[in-house]
Amino acid sequence: MKRQIIFSGVQPSGRLTLGNYLGALRNWKELQYSYDCLFAIVDLHAITVRQNPKLFRSQCYDSIALYLASGLESKLNHIFLQSHVPAHGQLAWILNCYTYIGELSRMTQFKDKSQRHQANINAGLFTYPTLMAADILLYKTNLVPVGADQKQHLELARDLAMRFNGIYGDIFTIPEIYQPPLGARIMSLQEPNKKMSKSTTDLNATIFLSDAPDEIVAKFKRAVTDSENEIYFDANKKPGISNLLTIFAMVTNRSMEEIVEEFRGYGYGKFKSLVADSVVEYLRPLQGKYNKLRGEQLYLDSILLEGANYATKLSQITLAKVYDSLGFIVY
């Protein structure tokens, strides 16, 4: 049987975090054995916010090295830069013409980013969800692993696909959300009611995958908890300690119930140190592979070239159907 297609992408703006790994990259490794996977570094999305060109280019290579270090095998997946496949921009323009202003105005991420980047509220930031829809629909994607903050964008992609199909026939596959067997939403160490972010200005709030062991230990020591000094899971009453418990459960592959029972009566300081040491050991193999791969730029370029060639061929099939349905002259 033909395997279902999964598409997912991460922006190369900022360094990838422990949250990115536990919530996405770790799960991707398992997907590659059961699905046809396309993993994009969505660099076009990243420029809705001003980027330092030299740093931005370096972060793109950082991302591909981390994808591979996380266990994605180049022979099983197609890994590429979004900007290397012209059809993303081409389809995005067409979908813009089928997307209503009201739909884009309701996007919560646009409202959030507009508040944080008031000096640069650009048209790309507004139409970002339409480009994301193009990313997904180009490849006849069946399943999309997305976090809670991206579900609204996937719903728009589904609406656009159904709208277009309703006018022109069976052109796009309607994508579904992929829910991993075990997910983890890792929160900020300083504001545990907010997701851990790679774009944060508070470096103590985020564990980056490239952090040195002493940096990781120091950040966990400063992690916000509460005054109660009892270890149990309650995301509403105790978001800080609950976040640490989630991280510890994920990196040790143990159940929450077992951990809470074992550390009943522990002080927060001792538990923070234990979580920090566990994260350091958990990331050690990943960091070793990453450091080796990051120095092999020719190899990384070869992976990106193969991925872009495959993605271009696949995307052109969908784009040609779209062009033909609209009445464009297609040779």
Side-chain angles (χ1 to χ4, degrees), residues 257-297:
E257 294 77 10
E258 178 188 355
I259 293 167
V260 169
E261 182 62 31
E262 180 175 342
F263 296 103
R264 195 181 303 277
Y266 263 56
Y268 282 173
K270 189 174 180 181
F271 185 64
K272 285 181 182 181
S273 295
L274 186 62
V275 176
D277 291 342
S278 298
V279 170
V280 167
E281 290 306 312
Y282 182 75
L283 292 180
R284 195 181 299 280
L286 172 74
Q287 291 181 337
K289 292 175 185 176
Y290 166 77
N291 291 331
K292 182 177 184 298
L293 286 163
R294 188 60 183 85
E296 299 178 1
Q297 188 161 316

Coordinates of all heavy atoms in Angstrom, one line a residue, residues 257-297:
E257 N 3.3 9.3 37.4 CA 2.9 8.7 38.7 C 4.1 8.2 39.4 O 4.3 8.4 40.7 CB 1.9 7.6 38.5 CG 0.6 8.1 37.9 CD 0.6 8.3 36.4 OE1 1.6 8.0 35.8 OE2 -0.4 8.9 35.9
E258 N 5.0 7.5 38.7 CA 6.2 6.9 39.4 C 7.1 8.0 39.9 O 7.7 7.9 41.0 CB 6.9 6.1 38.3 CG 8.2 5.4 38.8 CD 9.0 4.7 37.7 OE1 8.5 4.7 36.6 OE2 10.1 4.3 38.0
I259 N 7.3 9.1 39.1 CA 8.2 10.1 39.5 C 7.7 10.9 40.7 O 8.4 11.2 41.7 CB 8.4 11.1 38.3 CG1 9.1 10.4 37.2 CG2 9.2 12.4 38.7 CD1 9.1 11.2 35.8
V260 N 6.4 11.2 40.7 CA 5.8 12.0 41.8 C 5.9 11.2 43.1 O 6.2 11.7 44.2 CB 4.3 12.3 41.5 CG1 3.6 12.9 42.7 CG2 4.2 13.4 40.4
E261 N 5.7 9.9 43.0 CA 5.8 9.0 44.2 C 7.2 9.0 44.7 O 7.4 9.1 45.9 CB 5.3 7.6 43.9 CG 5.3 6.7 45.0 CD 4.3 7.1 46.2 OE1 3.3 7.8 45.9 OE2 4.7 6.8 47.3
E262 N 8.1 8.9 43.8 CA 9.6 8.7 44.2 C 10.1 10.0 44.9 O 10.9 10.0 45.8 CB 10.4 8.4 43.0 CG 11.9 8.2 43.4 CD 12.7 7.8 42.2 OE1 12.2 7.2 41.2 OE2 14.0 7.9 42.3
F263 N 9.6 11.2 44.4 CA 10.2 12.4 44.9 C 9.3 13.2 45.8 O 9.5 14.4 46.1 CB 10.6 13.3 43.7 CG 11.7 12.7 42.8 CD1 11.4 12.1 41.6 CD2 13.0 12.7 43.3 CE1 12.4 11.5 40.9 CE2 14.0 12.1 42.5 CZ 13.7 11.5 41.3
R264 N 8.3 12.5 46.3 CA 7.5 13.1 47.4 C 8.4 13.4 48.6 O 9.1 12.6 49.1 CB 6.4 12.1 47.8 CG 5.3 12.7 48.6 CD 4.2 11.7 49.0 NE 3.7 11.0 47.8 CZ 2.7 11.4 47.0 NH1 2.2 12.6 47.3 NH2 2.3 10.7 46.0
G265 N 8.3 14.7 49.0 CA 9.1 15.1 50.2 C 10.5 15.7 49.8 O 11.2 16.3 50.6
Y266 N 10.9 15.6 48.5 CA 12.1 16.2 48.0 C 11.9 17.8 48.0 O 10.8 18.3 47.8 CB 12.4 15.8 46.6 CG 13.4 14.7 46.4 CD1 13.2 13.5 47.1 CD2 14.5 14.8 45.7 CE1 14.1 12.4 46.9 CE2 15.4 13.8 45.5 CZ 15.2 12.6 46.1 OH 16.1 11.6 46.0
G267 N 13.0 18.5 48.3 CA 13.0 19.9 48.1 C 13.1 20.3 46.6 O 13.6 19.5 45.8
Y268 N 12.7 21.5 46.3 CA 12.7 22.0 44.9 C 14.1 22.0 44.4 O 14.4 21.7 43.2 CB 12.0 23.3 44.8 CG 10.5 23.3 44.7 CD1 9.8 24.4 44.8 CD2 9.8 22.1 44.7 CE1 8.4 24.4 44.7 CE2 8.4 22.0 44.7 CZ 7.7 23.2 44.7 OH 6.4 23.2 44.7
G269 N 15.1 22.5 45.2 CA 16.4 22.7 44.8 C 17.1 21.4 44.4 O 17.7 21.3 43.3
K270 N 16.9 20.4 45.2 CA 17.4 19.0 44.9 C 16.8 18.5 43.6 O 17.5 17.9 42.8 CB 17.2 18.1 46.1 CG 17.9 16.8 46.0 CD 17.7 16.0 47.2 CE 18.4 14.6 47.2 NZ 18.2 13.8 48.4
F271 N 15.5 18.7 43.4 CA 14.8 18.2 42.2 C 15.2 18.9 41.0 O 15.5 18.3 39.9 CB 13.3 18.3 42.4 CG 12.5 17.6 41.3 CD1 12.6 16.3 41.0 CD2 11.7 18.4 40.4 CE1 11.9 15.7 39.9 CE2 11.0 17.9 39.4 CZ 11.1 16.5 39.1
K272 N 15.4 20.2 41.1 CA 15.9 21.0 39.9 C 17.3 20.5 39.5 O 17.5 20.3 38.3 CB 16.0 22.5 40.3 CG 14.7 23.2 40.4 CD 15.0 24.7 40.7 CE 13.8 25.5 40.9 NZ 14.1 26.9 41.2
S273 N 18.1 20.2 40.4 CA 19.5 19.7 40.1 C 19.4 18.3 39.4 O 20.1 18.1 38.4 CB 20.3 19.6 41.3 OG 20.6 20.8 41.9
L274 N 18.5 17.5 39.8 CA 18.3 16.2 39.3 C 17.8 16.3 37.8 O 18.2 15.6 36.9 CB 17.3 15.3 40.1 CG 17.1 13.9 39.7 CD1 18.5 13.1 39.8 CD2 16.1 13.2 40.6
V275 N 16.8 17.2 37.6 CA 16.3 17.4 36.3 C 17.4 17.9 35.3 O 17.5 17.5 34.2 CB 15.1 18.4 36.3 CG1 14.6 18.7 34.9 CG2 13.9 17.9 37.1
A276 N 18.2 18.9 35.8 CA 19.2 19.5 35.0 C 20.2 18.4 34.6 O 20.6 18.3 33.4 CB 19.9 20.6 35.8
D277 N 20.7 17.6 35.6 CA 21.6 16.5 35.3 C 21.1 15.5 34.2 O 21.8 15.0 33.4 CB 22.1 15.8 36.5 CG 22.9 16.6 37.5 OD1 23.4 17.6 37.0 OD2 23.0 16.3 38.7
S278 N 19.8 15.2 34.4 CA 19.1 14.2 33.4 C 19.1 14.8 32.0 O 19.3 14.1 31.1 CB 17.7 13.9 33.9 OG 17.8 13.3 35.2
V279 N 18.8 16.1 31.9 CA 18.7 16.8 30.6 C 20.1 16.8 30.0 O 20.3 16.6 28.8 CB 18.1 18.2 30.7 CG1 18.3 19.0 29.4 CG2 16.6 18.1 31.1
V280 N 21.1 17.1 30.8 CA 22.5 17.2 30.3 C 22.9 15.8 29.7 O 23.4 15.7 28.5 CB 23.5 17.5 31.4 CG1 24.9 17.2 31.0 CG2 23.3 19.0 31.8
E281 N 22.6 14.7 30.4 CA 22.9 13.4 29.9 C 22.1 13.0 28.7 O 22.5 12.3 27.7 CB 22.8 12.3 31.0 CG 23.8 12.5 32.1 CD 25.2 12.4 31.5 OE1 25.5 11.5 30.7 OE2 26.0 13.3 31.9
Y282 N 20.8 13.4 28.7 CA 19.9 13.1 27.6 C 20.4 13.8 26.3 O 20.3 13.2 25.2 CB 18.5 13.6 28.0 CG 17.4 13.3 26.9 CD1 16.9 12.0 26.8 CD2 16.9 14.3 26.1 CE1 15.9 11.8 25.8 CE2 15.9 14.1 25.2 CZ 15.4 12.8 25.1 OH 14.5 12.6 24.1
L283 N 20.9 15.0 26.4 CA 21.3 15.8 25.2 C 22.7 15.5 24.8 O 23.1 15.8 23.6 CB 21.2 17.3 25.5 CG 19.7 17.8 25.6 CD1 19.8 19.3 25.9 CD2 18.9 17.5 24.4
R284 N 23.5 14.8 25.6 CA 24.9 14.6 25.3 C 25.1 13.8 23.9 O 25.9 14.3 23.1 CB 25.6 13.8 26.4 CG 27.1 13.8 26.3 CD 27.8 13.0 27.5 NE 27.4 13.5 28.8 CZ 27.9 14.6 29.4 NH1 28.9 15.2 28.7 NH2 27.6 14.9 30.6
P285 N 24.4 12.7 23.6 CA 24.6 12.1 22.3 C 24.2 12.9 21.2 O 24.8 13.0 20.1 CB 23.7 10.8 22.4 CG 23.5 10.6 23.9 CD 23.5 11.9 24.5
L286 N 23.1 13.7 21.3 CA 22.6 14.6 20.3 C 23.6 15.6 20.0 O 23.9 15.9 18.8 CB 21.3 15.2 20.7 CG 20.7 16.3 19.8 CD1 20.1 15.7 18.6 CD2 19.6 17.1 20.6
Q287 N 24.1 16.2 21.0 CA 25.1 17.3 20.8 C 26.4 16.8 20.2 O 27.0 17.5 19.4 CB 25.4 18.0 22.2 CG 24.2 18.8 22.7 CD 24.5 19.5 24.0 OE1 25.4 19.1 24.8 NE2 23.7 20.5 24.4
G288 N 26.8 15.6 20.5 CA 28.0 15.0 19.9 C 27.8 14.8 18.4 O 28.7 15.2 17.6
K289 N 26.7 14.3 18.0 CA 26.4 14.1 16.6 C 26.3 15.4 15.9 O 26.7 15.6 14.8 CB 25.1 13.3 16.4 CG 25.2 11.8 16.9 CD 23.8 11.2 16.8 CE 23.8 9.8 17.4 NZ 22.5 9.1 17.4
Y290 N 25.6 16.4 16.5 CA 25.4 17.7 15.9 C 26.8 18.3 15.7 O 27.0 18.9 14.6 CB 24.5 18.6 16.8 CG 24.6 20.0 16.4 CD1 23.9 20.5 15.3 CD2 25.4 20.9 17.1 CE1 23.9 21.8 15.0 CE2 25.5 22.2 16.8 CZ 24.7 22.7 15.7 OH 24.8 24.0 15.3
N291 N 27.6 18.3 16.6 CA 28.9 19.0 16.5 C 29.7 18.4 15.3 O 30.5 19.1 14.6 CB 29.7 18.9 17.8 CG 29.1 19.8 18.9 OD1 28.5 20.8 18.6 ND2 29.3 19.4 20.1
K292 N 29.6 17.1 15.2 CA 30.3 16.4 14.1 C 29.7 16.8 12.7 O 30.4 17.2 11.8 CB 30.3 14.9 14.2 CG 31.0 14.1 13.2 CD 31.0 12.6 13.5 CE 31.8 11.8 12.5 NZ 31.3 12.0 11.1
L293 N 28.4 16.7 12.6 CA 27.7 17.0 11.4 C 27.8 18.5 11.0 O 27.9 18.8 9.8 CB 26.2 16.7 11.5 CG 25.9 15.2 11.5 CD1 24.5 15.0 12.0 CD2 26.0 14.7 10.1
R294 N 27.8 19.4 12.0 CA 27.9 20.8 11.6 C 29.1 21.2 10.9 O 29.2 22.2 10.2 CB 27.7 21.6 12.9 CG 27.5 23.1 12.7 CD 26.2 23.4 11.9 NE 26.1 24.8 11.6 CZ 26.7 25.5 10.6 NH1 27.5 24.8 9.8 NH2 26.5 26.7 10.4
G295 N 30.2 20.4 11.1 CA 31.5 20.7 10.4 C 31.5 20.2 9.0 O 32.5 20.4 8.3
E296 N 30.5 19.4 8.6 CA 30.5 18.8 7.3 C 29.5 19.5 6.3 O 28.5 18.9 5.9 CB 30.2 17.3 7.4 CG 31.2 16.5 8.3 CD 30.8 15.1 8.5 OE1 29.7 14.6 8.0 OE2 31.5 14.4 9.2
Q297 N 29.9 20.7 6.0 CA 28.9 21.5 5.2 C 28.7 20.9 3.8 O 27.5 21.0 3.3 CB 29.4 23.0 5.1 CG 28.4 23.9 4.5 CD 28.7 25.3 4.8 OE1 29.0 25.7 5.9 NE2 28.5 26.2 3.8

